[in-house]
Amino acid sequence: MSKKLNTNLSSVVALLNDGDYHDGTTMGDQLGITRSGVWKVIKKLENYGVKLDSIKGKGYAMLEPLILLDPKKIKKQLYANIDLVCFESVSSTNDYFAIKPFSRAIKVCLAEQQTEGKGRMGRKWHSPFAQNIYLSCLYPFQKDISELAGLSLVTSLAIVDAINQHGVSGAKVKWPNDIVYDNKKLSGTLIEVAAEAHGISYATIGIGINVNMVEDKKEISQSWTSLRKILNQYIDRNELCISLINNLLTYLQRFEAKGFEVFVNEWMQKDSLMKRAIALKVGNQTIEGKVVGINEQGHLLLKLKDGSTRAFSSGDTSIIKDA
Ligand code: BTN
């Protein structure tokens, strides 16, 4: 079940953001809603996992600041006029587009929480409420599906650029779909494509970025980090969404016009695996080798133990620690 972002929720959070205690009646008066309306919002926040304290006679206080997504603010600062939808909760922002009829417009879906966030290789993507970015962009390409091979790499480059604009230097791409910092995962991309006749393809580009998540999560098996962990400060996700969407559109337009080859150099500069000994998992097989770059289709070039170099179009990479 999906829920659009509720204005009462945003207004209550805005009041509680000063960290002080607020009682239900006063908040209700300030917001023009009933005391029981306020109580419902408080319960909802608690169900979403937001930490609140309550003291009899004083009311409720939020233990940490919480800046919710503000779709109006985001839309105002985008270069292009795109359809933007924002959910309080949705199964998966990628799946939201799977049930929509195709249209030639570019669309973006954001959510505060995903109940069934999907990662690559059938993994789950942990998606706690209001902490990270969960974004999908439906992009119609005037290209055949076979020409979209480098799309996930181009998306990764756009994400690194957006992250760098927010004060992180040192975030790198990890073939094929990850952004890492200090070899810990910061962001991942899941792309799903569908084709229409006459060379039109639709890509749903799903991006997850760990932004303000700091607590250890047993649900996450990979070693991970977040922008807040790196910068040691709380990040306004609206600002990051604006740079992310603007960057993504710029990179996608260039990819559509020029193909992947114009991105090869930029990839090499931001590559975390270059010259590293890695293991590549393809299906049941694991291949070890040294990364020597990527080719013009975005395939990974591995120098194998027998001295030959082979290109791989898919797989999961991991650095061999003791190599
Ligand atoms: C991965 O690294 O395994 C890919 C993770 C992709 C997660 C994003 S979050 C937004 C979009 N919706 C999903 O269900 N998945 C992607």
Side-chain angles (χ1 to χ4, degrees), residues 21-312:
Y21 286 84
H22 295 261
D23 69 84
T25 311
T26 314
M27 275 200 281
D29 289 347
Q30 283 168 307
L31 301 175
I33 55 176
T34 60
R35 191 165 157 259
S36 88
V38 173
W39 188 81
K40 274 189 196 145
V41 173
I42 297 284
K43 287 293 136 206
K44 201 182 210 184
L45 286 170
E46 283 177 341
N47 284 337
Y48 282 142
V50 176
K51 287 183 196 136
L52 292 163
D53 187 37
S54 68
I55 296 182
K56 224 173 171 202
K58 279 181 87 179
Y60 306 94
M62 211 158 57
L63 300 183
E64 289 217 310
L66 187 64
I67 304 175
L68 292 177
L69 293 172
D70 182 343
K72 280 199 192 119
K73 178 178 173 181
I74 296 173
K75 209 168 153 49
K76 245 192 245 160
Q77 292 189 64
L78 297 181
Y79 303 146
N81 184 20
I82 55 159
D83 284 4
L84 179 73
V85 59
C86 187
F87 291 99
E88 210 172 281
S89 180
V90 73
S91 56
S92 148
T93 52
N94 266 31
D95 287 353
Y96 168 73
F97 287 127
I99 51 164
K100 296 274 156 218
F102 290 133
S103 85
R104 298 283 159 94
I106 301 169
K107 297 181 179 186
V108 168
C109 174
L110 284 165
E112 291 289 13
Q113 172 190 263
Q114 298 184 117
T115 52
E116 285 156 57
K118 305 187 291 185
R120 289 176 68 235
M121 314 273 186
R123 288 189 284 252
K124 290 198 164 98
W125 188 257
H126 186 57
S127 312
F129 181 78
Q131 294 192 22
N132 300 324
I133 288 181
Y134 319 114
L135 176 150
S136 296
C137 173
L138 180 71
Y139 197 94
F141 282 99
Q142 306 272 357
K143 279 179 181 288
D144 186 75
I145 270 192
S146 60
E147 297 171 88
L148 296 184
L151 178 58
S152 67
L153 283 72
V154 171
T155 303
S156 293
L157 291 174
I159 300 171
V160 166
D161 231 38
I163 287 173
N164 284 342
Q165 284 164 18
H166 286 263
V168 173
S169 58
K172 296 207 158 154
V173 290
K174 175 171 169 277
W175 192 91
N177 292 61
D178 291 352
I179 310 300
V180 292
Y181 181 91
D182 232 357
N183 293 324
K184 294 181 190 127
K185 186 152 170 170
L186 186 54
S187 167
T189 303
L190 176 70
I191 295 186
E192 297 174 283
V193 286
E196 201 186 65
H198 320 298
I200 309 265
S201 313
Y202 296 89
T204 300
I205 302 164
I207 298 172
I209 305 180
N210 298 333
V211 184
N212 288 316
M213 184 164 79
V214 281
E215 276 171 29
D216 282 340
K217 307 276 174 190
K218 60 177 181 333
E219 298 88 338
I220 309 179
S221 54
Q222 292 160 300
S223 102
W224 63 275
T225 190
S226 67
L227 294 178
R228 186 172 173 184
K229 278 184 170 222
I230 298 166
L231 296 171
N232 210 12
Q233 68 185 45
Y234 185 86
I235 314 291
D236 181 346
R237 292 169 303 139
N238 291 303
E239 298 299 333
L240 187 57
C241 279
I242 293 163
S243 331
L244 178 63
I245 299 170
N246 280 333
N247 261 308
L248 186 64
L249 296 180
T250 308
Y251 274 76
L252 294 179
Q253 275 152 12
R254 186 152 179 250
F255 173 64
E256 174 146 49
K258 305 220 159 122
F260 182 71
E261 57 263 40
V262 294
F263 295 97
V264 172
N265 279 341
E266 189 177 336
W267 180 273
M268 302 284 206
Q269 280 158 27
K270 294 177 174 164
D271 188 1
S272 66
L273 297 179
M274 192 62 182
K275 299 205 172 103
R276 305 291 298 263
I278 65 141
L280 176 74
K281 211 165 168 249
V282 192
N284 298 331
Q285 236 196 330
T286 302
I287 301 134
E288 291 187 2
K290 186 175 161 185
V291 174
V292 290
I294 52 166
N295 67 14
E296 295 195 340
Q297 286 81 49
H299 298 168
L300 182 73
L301 298 174
L302 262 193
K303 189 163 183 187
L304 306 179
K305 283 189 181 131
D306 65 5
S308 66
T309 299
R310 259 180 77 188
F312 293 89

